[in-house]
Amino acid sequence: MTQRVQQALRIPEIPGGPDGRRMLWINLVDKTGSGLWLSVTALYFVVVAGLDTGSTGLLLGLGGVAGIAGAPLAGRLADRLPLTRVLLAVQVVRATSGLLLLFAHGFWQLLPLVALGSLGERSASVLTKLFAARVAGQDRARYQAVQRTVVNLGYTVGGLAASAALAVGTTTVYRVLLLGDSLSFVLVALLVARCAEPPSATRTVVARTADEPPAPAASTGARATPSRPSGPWHDAGYLGYAALDSVMFLYGCALTVGLPLWIVTRTTAPHGLAAAVFVVNTVLVVLLQVRLARYGSSPRVAANSLRQVALWFLLSCAATAVAVLHTRWAATVAVVAAAIAFTVVEMIQSAVSWELSVSLAPAHAQGSYVGVHGLAQSTSRCVGPLLLTSVVIAAGPAGWIGLGALLAGAALLQRHMVLRRLDRPGPAAAEAPMSVAPITVSD
């Protein structure tokens, strides 16, 4: 990222050095392509593929099952293989699934390709998070804020293009948006191939001279420290935290699936808002995410910030419920208010989730732990579309009020659980900062 762009966005000095900056460029390209597609995903399957609303929700839900496997699989591989090579392979998978989707017809042809794309997407998300954590170290909260700013800048550019395309609304336009998304993954794969491997606490390669004997193989902390949990699946506290995050991550489906379909099927607001609210979301994140990174500045601050998360969950769902007003301008105002409220909760909750998911993970198994945490968002993407279309939207305004209460309750319960964990020091206590062993990489 050039210094001029950095200053224009008021972004502070970027942690992570050249590799950190290179990954920001990768995220910018990736999310610009994704912005073309995400805001019209549900509409594509309705308008182009000819599926009804229920079948679209089922398609996205079942396809998301593969994404559930992608997160822990990618995290486990990242503890054992070079992270950049795994990420390169994942980007190739994403490009392939998108290109094949252009030629697929019918529910059963679309399903495996949606599943493959979901697998790649969730794997890439975990791997990118691990890359950022490894190159940024103790500055991970600040790097995460900068990364989300760049990510949403990409989403904004792609979303604006999608919004303009929706004004035309032909099937050819929808296909072009999908093609642009697929080609962005090709470019990302080429950029990833040029990245250096970041340091890792579980994969250490030490440079040595001809006079030095070979260094013994590095062992993982899990074997050297029997008192620690043998892995995330044996850490009940971390699993409970991740499970509640999976509930809260439903806000993502509410914004990308539920709200667009709600606008088109249940409100008098202009249909173009289905993409415009996505642009509102990404623009606000670009402008405010770095400032709101303070909500995840430490594990305890992040835990206490969950009270604000609960409040914004209630406000966002209440505004969506109100959008059924028959007056066109009132419905439009309610939709925009809902998009803003969902954006605020996204910025705060993402900072909280980033900090807790990494700081609660012991250094000896960061990949595995963060991979298991990736199940939270993957599960939401699997269950969310079906829940939003079959329960929340079907129940009308009461469904949105119920969803808000569910999300707020999950946030408050998670706060209670995390604070108890912080107050009870143990092997996996969150107060211990994440450490990354310094290494010199050599062939």
Side-chain angles (χ1 to χ4, degrees), residues 308-324:
Q308 287 89 342
V309 170
L311 175 62
W312 283 103
F313 275 142
L314 292 174
L315 292 176
S316 58
C317 290
T320 306
V322 172
V324 295

Side-chain angles (χ1 to χ4, degrees), residues 34-51:
S34 296
L36 297 173
W37 173 242
L38 287 181
S39 58
V40 299
T41 301
L43 300 178
Y44 177 91
F45 295 119
V46 173
V47 175
V48 179
L51 302 180

Side-chain angles (χ1 to χ4, degrees), residues 3 7 18 39 45 54 140 152 157 161 245 276 353 373 375 377 393 417 431:
Q3 190 168 357
Q7 292 174 351
S39 58
F45 295 119
R140 62 180 179 269
N152 282 276
V157 174
D245 245 15
S353 179
H373 177 263
L375 287 171
Q377 198 162 7
I393 292 179
M417 291 180 60
E431 294 295 355

Side-chain angles (χ1 to χ4, degrees), residues 244 247-248 310 313-314 402-415:
L244 289 172
V247 176
M248 289 190 286
F313 275 142
L314 292 174
L403 177 64
L406 174 66
L407 298 179
L412 294 176
L413 179 57
Q414 187 184 73
R415 175 180 178 273

Side-chain angles (χ1 to χ4, degrees), residues 30-45 60 94 117-118 121-122 151-152 154-156 158-163 166 174 177-178 180-182 184-185 252-253 255-258 260-261 274-279 281-282 346 377 381:
D30 186 333
K31 303 312 178 185
T32 298
S34 296
L36 297 173
W37 173 242
L38 287 181
S39 58
V40 299
T41 301
L43 300 178
Y44 177 91
F45 295 119
L60 296 174
R94 298 175 75 190
S118 178
E121 180 187 2
R122 299 314 311 151
V151 162
N152 282 276
Y155 276 138
T156 300
L160 285 171
S163 182
L166 277 181
Y174 281 98
L177 294 176
L178 175 56
D181 182 36
S182 303
S184 73
F185 300 142
C253 289
L255 182 63
T256 60
V257 177
L261 292 177
V277 296
F278 188 75
V279 175
N281 169 269
T282 52
E346 174 188 343
Q377 198 162 7
R381 294 198 175 193

